Amino acid sequence: MQAGNVDGEATRSDDEPREKCGVVGVSLSDRDAARPVYYALYALQHRGQDSAGIVTHDGFQQHDHVEMGLVGDAFDEGDLAELAGSTGIGHVRYPTAGSVDKSCAQPFSVSFNSGSLGLSHNGNLVNAAGLRDELARLGHAFTSDGDTEVIAHSLARNLLDADLSSAVEQTMRRLHGSYSLTVMYDDRVLGVRDPRGNRPLVLGELDDGYVLASESAAVDVLDGELVRDVRPGEAIVLDADGQGYESVRLFDLETTAHCFFEHVYFARPDSVIDGTLVYEARRELGRALWRESGIDTDVVMPVPDSGRAFASGYADAASETGADVEFAEGLMKNRYVGRTFIMPTQDERERAVRLKLNPIRSTVEGRTVTLIDDSIVRGTTSTQLVELLRDAGAESVHVRIGAPAIVAPCYFGIDMATREELIAADRTTEEIRETVGADSLSYLSVDAVADALDETRDDLCLGCVTGEYPYDVDGEATDRDVSRPTVGEPAEADD
Ligand code: 5GP
Ligand code: MG
């Protein structure tokens, strides 16, 4: 979710929340949902460390607990015990520099004439401001400036005179932008994915119920089986008794807009997206990187942890072509340093990289080195690490990146910094190489990304690497027909 609107960069300030979150929904036959939701949130902690929350329903009333901070700190035994009921949803919210506002924490809950609603949102709407004005004119009072509340009020309004799936459909017709939602309507849980499927959402089966979650790793920790990804434009309503679910495919557009960066960086490597293990997708990207810009050096080393799978695929592809490369860890990570990326000043971010990563001298000294990472955003990490490796005695340092250059901001949930901060926004690769101080630098091509993910470019959101977005963001270019309404005709219900 996002506070304010995303109408163009001009309205975007650095301390405005730009979030990439994790959502969960659980329905069980005969035990409380709070603890499974809590464990699922633990599994999704990488998707948000700012706040954590759970809403449950015990058949009579809704219970909620939302706290700032990490999942492990946000709930104690007493909190979990008070979250009664066998259905529940949860949320973890992405960190942003400076924002510690509880009004933006989720799930968002609201009671209205015909029931109670809880809502967890991952993504960003592009038309929240307009919808908010419209609903405010109809008498809806807003308590936060987030777009999640706009979805909640819109849904509550439609539920006054429609059944659940019609109300969801009417709401989806009005929403533009990216959203994966888990929703509680009284004691029922549902999952909804936007018609272009920008953010991930999966369905899993447990021994005694069903779970919806941003990533399959959350299904794994509950000892469940991944059923499948929720389809773009689909709503899945879990039975309140945990015995089954109903799927309604409300929209079926010709193209999707899956965020490629989920595969590259955001999702856990042990999650499965669209049938492919993220770890394997990253290794495939690493292989493609070798094919496109492999360079023979003594050693190939990852930037831990995000570069690891890429480096392993890259090194594999290298040795298959007969290159005599060693794959080794050349940097050790201090696991107690977190969140360097979102530190507010450049000085602190640089200090934090140094605190976080320390070279292993024997891997590096007197040798030619290829350093592999998933992405370059501001360039802080690569610049610091190239210098560090040279200080540790590297003869030369070549940098290979498993994604294309990030040239434009993300409006749909990933904190990509502002355009001014992006090192690649107005520099050529050669200029970036010089700034970073590497002997050579190569990114992976956009086509190689689509290839490795087994998608066409038309089915991916590549906004941050092409500057063309699959949704109509004011002031930005688009790479497809997004004339509103962006939704097509409702599809037939399919099971
Ligand atoms: P840079 O140091 O160039 O600003 O950022 C690149 C590093 O940050 C890479 O190691 C990458 O794994 C990581 N990174 C990329 N995107 C994100 C993000 O959205 N959030 C966080 N926390 N790290 C990111
Ligand atoms: Mg990293």
Side-chain angles (χ1 to χ4, degrees):
M1 70 135 252
Q2 154 145 4
N5 63 40
V6 287
D7 291 345
E9 222 172 328
T11 61
R12 215 178 137 136
S13 69
D14 208 27
D15 52 9
E16 186 178 311
R18 276 159 281 151
E19 289 138 32
K20 181 80 181 250
C21 309
V23 301
V24 182
V26 166
S27 180
L28 300 170
S29 320
D30 196 23
R31 63 183 164 121
D32 278 352
R35 201 166 292 270
V37 172
Y38 172 76
Y39 292 139
L41 290 180
Y42 242 113
L44 299 177
Q45 185 77 82
H46 63 291
R47 299 185 70 86
Q49 298 100 51
D50 219 20
S51 67
I54 297 177
V55 168
T56 59
H57 200 287
D58 62 11
F60 300 100
Q61 59 170 325
Q62 190 169 285
H63 306 273
D64 63 81
H65 182 86
V66 178
E67 227 19 275
M68 302 307 295
L70 298 172
V71 177
D73 302 325
F75 303 89
D76 60 28
E77 282 300 321
D79 301 326
L80 290 174
E82 278 168 27
L83 289 163
S86 62
T87 53
I89 61 169
H91 188 266
V92 284
R93 180 171 170 267
Y94 195 55
T96 43
S99 93
V100 282
D101 182 359
K102 204 172 165 184
S103 77
C104 279
Q106 298 189 30
F108 183 83
S109 39
V110 58
S111 307
F112 59 105
N113 291 354
S114 56
S116 60
L117 268 182
L119 209 101
S120 297
H121 177 202
N122 172 205
N124 282 330
L125 299 187
V126 294
N127 68 332
L131 283 177
R132 161 189 298 272
D133 290 349
E134 203 177 294
L135 287 160
R137 276 197 302 276
L138 292 167
H140 287 255
F142 288 88
T143 59
S144 76
D145 57 0
D147 56 358
T148 306
E149 193 177 358
V150 175
I151 304 177
H153 281 278
S154 176
L155 188 55
R157 182 154 202 98
N158 290 325
L159 278 165
L160 292 176
D161 45 29
D163 64 23
L164 185 55
S165 53
S166 315
V168 169
E169 185 193 326
Q170 285 164 22
T171 304
M172 288 173 81
R173 285 195 171 281
R174 300 304 314 281
L175 304 179
H176 298 290
S178 78
Y179 53 92
S180 277
L181 308 169
T182 52
V183 182
M184 282 215 80
Y185 174 47
D186 289 337
D187 60 353
R188 264 179 303 169
V189 169
L190 60 149
V192 182
R193 203 167 171 209
D194 80 68
R196 294 199 188 274
N198 184 243
R199 308 260 64 99
L201 190 65
V202 299
L203 172 69
E205 184 171 0
L206 310 177
D207 286 343
D208 59 347
Y210 286 89
V211 52
L212 293 152
S214 294
E215 292 182 36
S216 65
V219 179
D220 296 339
V221 302
L222 301 181
D223 293 323
E225 290 289 325
L226 173 63
V227 176
R228 61 173 172 83
D229 291 47
V230 176
R231 299 183 179 109
E234 183 184 34
I236 288 189
V237 186
L238 305 184
D239 297 346
D241 61 4
Q243 301 285 330
Y245 65 91
E246 186 198 351
S247 148
V248 198
R249 186 83 186 266
L250 295 167
F251 301 97
D252 190 3
L253 300 188
E254 255 161 44
T255 62
T256 57
H258 299 314
C259 168
F260 86 97
F261 208 64
E262 287 280 349
H263 303 265
V264 164
Y265 171 78
F266 214 83
R268 280 170 57 146
D270 53 337
S271 282
V272 174
I273 301 180
D274 265 333
T276 304
L277 187 65
V278 172
Y279 181 75
E280 286 307 329
R282 286 180 193 164
R283 277 176 43 88
E284 202 48 47
L285 291 162
R287 294 172 161 278
L289 189 58
W290 167 264
R291 289 195 296 271
E292 280 194 350
S293 61
I295 179 164
D296 231 328
T297 57
D298 296 328
V299 64
V300 171
M301 62 173 69
V303 177
D305 299 303
S306 55
R308 236 180 226 130
F310 296 86
S312 120
Y314 179 98
D316 260 13
S319 49
E320 275 163 28
T321 59
D324 181 25
V325 293
E326 183 196 345
F327 172 63
E329 299 281 346
L331 293 160
M332 260 314 120
K333 180 170 167 174
N334 180 337
R335 69 169 74 222
Y336 301 101
V337 183
R339 302 176 54 154
T340 59
F341 186 86
I342 56 144
M343 294 198 161
T345 70
Q346 187 57 21
D347 214 42
E348 286 170 278
R349 285 192 292 266
E350 283 171 16
R351 162 70 28 204
V353 171
R354 188 65 189 86
L355 260 180
K356 195 165 174 172
L357 295 164
N358 203 33
I360 295 174
R361 247 197 139 81
S362 61
T363 307
V364 176
E365 199 162 19
R367 308 180 78 194
T368 57
V369 168
T370 306
L371 181 67
I372 306 217
D373 205 357
D374 64 295
S375 60
I376 296 180
V377 183
R378 297 183 183 92
T380 317
T381 308
S382 323
T383 310
Q384 293 289 306
L385 293 184
V386 168
E387 191 187 322
L388 208 59
L389 294 175
R390 288 199 199 285
D391 288 349
E395 234 168 58
S396 58
V397 183
H398 302 268
V399 175
R400 293 292 177 273
I401 301 296
I406 293 170
V407 298
C410 174
Y411 295 97
F412 307 108
I414 296 191
D415 189 350
M416 287 288 195
T418 57
R419 200 170 239 124
E420 299 75 61
E421 288 179 289
L422 295 171
I423 193 173
D426 53 4
R427 286 185 185 82
T428 62
T429 303
E430 172 54 20
E431 286 166 345
I432 300 166
R433 181 202 63 74
E434 218 184 304
T435 309
V436 163
D439 290 278
S440 76
L441 165 71
S442 293
Y443 291 96
L444 192 60
S445 71
V446 176
D447 285 329
V449 169
D451 253 18
L453 299 181
D454 213 9
E455 295 267 19
T456 65
R457 284 175 70 146
D458 285 349
D459 284 320
L460 294 171
C461 179
L462 295 161
C464 61
V465 295
T466 62
E468 295 181 350
Y469 300 87
Y471 300 91
D472 51 349
V473 181
D474 282 3
E476 297 284 4
T478 176
D479 61 3
R480 66 194 72 192
D481 178 14
V482 287
S483 51
R484 290 180 187 175
T486 55
V487 286
E489 284 307 300
E492 295 291 303
D494 66 350
D495 43 328

